């Protein structure tokens, strides 16, 4: 049974992600069919993998013919960030019951940003609100992917530059996070660690280096972070 109030609230809150995910999913579907892969491969990936950044990277995996071990290791490094911020959702998802496995599966960067930047309405049944929010966001991604894959299968299109669309969405979400929290310290830490990663670390290990250093920086400056809230 659909919980009307929770669904309507989740729909309203997820509109910014809808605008990004439909475009990004379209770009993903378009890119993967441009490599002459079948349209349904893009759809299956968005339904069962549902990892935006990793799906875009997978296109590079396919085109460069990487081995399974290389793909596995790279995938772990790319998605390891979710194990860190996922820990902060344990309390929110504690009473989700049978919905909890899907909430864990559907916790993308953008969904996490919404869950942590928008105050919960105490009148809502949280587990259903979280479920609809995760489900709607995946629905947007899947629909965008399907449209892009069908379009790419039937029409020739120059896909140069489309892979930057995911980065653009991350930038917008970071701006929204700052507007909500008004705390510049995490962004400074992230910028500094990213620059250090570019200078000091080989490209294959830049992401994990930046994540670990950012966590250490926030731990060291945790008092300042708490005082700025």
């Amino acid at each position: 049974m659909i919980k009307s109030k929770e669904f309507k609230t989740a729909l309203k809150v997820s509109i910014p992600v809808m605008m990004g995910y439909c475009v990004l999913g379209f770009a993903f579907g378009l890119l993967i069919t441009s490599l002459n892969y079948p349209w349904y491969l893009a759809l299956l990936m968005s339904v069962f993998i549902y990892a935006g950044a990793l799906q875009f990277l997978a296109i590079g995996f396919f085109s460069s013919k990487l081995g399974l071990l290389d793909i596995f290791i790279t995938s772990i490094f790319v998605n390891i960030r979710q194990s860190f911020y996922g820990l902060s959702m344990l309390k929110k998802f504690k009473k989700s019951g049978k919905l909890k496995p899907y909430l864990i599966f559907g916790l993308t960067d953008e969904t996490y940003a919404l869950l942590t930047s928008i105050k919960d309405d105490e009148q809502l049944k949280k587990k259903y609100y979280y479920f609809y929010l995760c489900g709607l966001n995946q629905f947007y991604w899947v629909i965008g992917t399907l449209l892009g894959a069908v379009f790419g299968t039937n029409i020739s299109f120059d896909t140069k530059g489309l892979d930057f669309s995911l980065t653009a969405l991350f930038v917008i979400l970071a701006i929204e996070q700052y507007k909500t929290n008004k705390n510049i310290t995490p962004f400074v830490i992230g910028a500094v660690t990213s620059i250090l990663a570019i200078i000091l670390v080989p490209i294959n290990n830049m992401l994990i280096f930046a994540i670990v250093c950012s966590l250490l920086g926030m731990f060291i400056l945790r008092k300042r972070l708490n005082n700025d809230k």
Side-chain angles (χ1 to χ4, degrees):
M1 180 178 180
I2 294 180
K3 304 293 182 179
S4 178
K5 186 174 182 179
E6 286 76 10
F7 179 80
K8 289 179 180 178
T9 303
L11 181 62
K12 180 180 178 181
V13 168
S14 66
I15 288 176
V17 174
M18 176 189 70
M19 297 174 69
Y21 270 15
C22 286
V23 174
L24 290 169
F26 188 91
F28 170 70
L30 199 60
L31 284 169
I32 199 167
T33 52
S34 70
L35 296 175
N36 296 320
Y37 287 99
W39 65 269
Y40 57 81
L41 176 61
L43 181 63
L44 290 174
M45 289 177 68
S46 289
V47 171
F48 294 106
I49 298 176
Y50 185 43
L54 184 60
Q55 286 181 230
F56 275 90
L57 282 177
I59 298 173
F61 296 159
F62 296 155
S63 61
S64 59
K65 309 297 182 182
L66 280 183
L68 292 177
L69 181 60
D70 293 324
I71 293 175
F72 173 77
I73 294 173
T74 304
S75 300
I76 291 294
F77 281 138
V78 169
N79 281 347
I80 198 171
R81 70 191 187 282
Q82 295 180 337
S83 65
F84 294 110
Y85 67 59
L87 293 174
S88 66
M89 303 304 295
L90 291 177
K91 186 176 181 180
K92 279 182 176 288
F93 293 167
K94 185 177 181 180
K95 298 181 180 179
S96 300
K98 294 180 180 180
L99 299 177
K100 190 173 183 179
Y102 178 73
L103 296 181
I104 295 171
F105 169 76
L107 187 62
T108 62
D109 300 305
E110 294 75 20
T111 301
Y112 174 79
L114 292 180
L115 289 173
T116 55
S117 63
I118 297 176
K119 293 182 179 180
D120 289 343
D121 184 342
E122 294 301 324
Q123 296 181 350
L124 296 176
K125 292 184 178 180
K126 299 297 191 302
K127 66 178 181 180
Y128 294 112
Y129 168 61
Y130 298 154
F131 172 73
Y132 290 136
L133 188 59
C134 290
L136 283 168
N137 285 347
Q138 184 176 14
F139 175 74
Y140 304 145
W141 182 264
V142 170
I143 288 297
T145 297
L146 179 60
L147 292 175
V150 172
F151 185 89
T153 300
N154 295 283
I155 300 175
S156 298
F157 190 82
D158 184 3
T159 58
K160 185 178 180 180
L162 282 178
D163 52 349
F164 185 74
S165 52
L166 189 66
T167 304
L169 181 58
F170 284 149
V171 171
I172 296 300
L173 288 171
I175 293 172
E176 290 300 319
Q177 283 278 9
Y178 175 72
K179 287 182 177 180
T180 300
N181 298 316
K182 299 296 182 182
N183 186 348
I184 199 171
T185 304
F187 299 94
V188 174
I189 293 173
V192 171
T193 55
S194 297
I195 292 172
L196 289 175
I198 292 173
I199 296 173
L200 301 175
V201 183
I203 190 170
N204 293 335
N205 299 320
M206 281 171 50
L207 181 61
I208 186 63
F209 176 86
I211 290 172
V212 171
C213 289
S214 294
L215 288 171
L216 289 174
M218 286 189 286
F219 178 77
I220 293 170
L221 298 175
R222 64 188 184 282
K223 290 184 179 180
R224 177 172 179 177
L225 290 170
N226 290 329
N227 291 335
D228 288 342
K229 289 182 178 180

